[in-house]
Amino acid sequence: MQKTYNIGVEATIEVIGGKWKPVILCYLNHHATIRTNEFRRLIPGISQKMLTSQLRELEQVGLVKRTVYNEVPPRVEYSLTEYGKELEPVLNVLCTWGENHIEKRILDGEDVCLIKSDNEIA
């Protein structure tokens, strides 16, 4: 059966939507490779099960490459594929908009903070 989208953003959200996928992709956009334990340090709110699930989904759609090194203990690294790197401008705009939104909320008197800006991730 044919999959139908009303507008293109539906296809984008289907692939990168959710709480964790954009965060994972942003970190991979700024780092050549990231190991699983590094992700856990970078994204303290994500469980191991959710991290594994999200990485598998991103790998399945061809955005993320998983490399397993034949070592003891095994070393696993994740990186963006060439296809995944095409998301760089989208991710940069999302980060900039989010930072501006946080600044607006602060100016509106809300008690929010940003731990790292997009420029500080690298």
Side-chain angles (χ1 to χ4, degrees):
M1 180 173 13
Q2 182 182 36
K3 176 77 176 188
T4 303
Y5 299 97
N6 291 308
I7 58 175
V9 73
E10 288 181 46
T12 305
I13 297 302
E14 182 178 72
V15 174
I16 69 166
K19 181 176 182 177
W20 300 115
K21 286 180 188 173
V23 176
I24 291 167
L25 291 167
C26 280
Y27 277 113
L28 285 172
N29 188 42
H30 288 288
H31 296 84
T33 60
I34 300 179
R35 294 173 69 174
T36 306
N37 287 338
E38 290 177 87
F39 272 122
R40 295 294 309 278
R41 281 190 295 278
L42 293 168
I43 314 170
I46 194 169
S47 69
Q48 182 64 50
K49 181 179 177 182
M50 181 59 72
L51 176 61
T52 301
S53 168
Q54 299 293 276
L55 286 166
R56 282 186 183 147
E57 288 178 26
L58 291 167
E59 184 182 8
Q60 192 172 36
V61 295
L63 298 178
V64 170
K65 178 183 176 189
R66 179 177 188 261
T67 305
V68 180
Y69 294 91
N70 192 14
E71 301 173 351
V72 178
R75 178 171 48 116
V76 179
E77 293 181 340
Y78 294 90
S79 58
L80 289 178
T81 62
E82 289 304 313
Y83 184 53
K85 290 176 185 176
E86 292 177 17
L87 282 169
E88 181 178 1
V90 174
L91 297 169
N92 289 340
V93 168
L94 285 172
C95 287
T96 300
W97 189 91
E99 291 170 11
N100 291 338
H101 179 65
I102 291 168
E103 188 175 308
K104 178 190 179 306
R105 291 176 62 188
I106 291 169
L107 292 172
D108 288 345
E110 289 188 53
D111 187 19
V112 297
C113 72
L114 176 63
I115 295 173
K116 288 184 183 175
S117 70
D118 191 44
N119 295 331
E120 297 170 318
I121 291 175

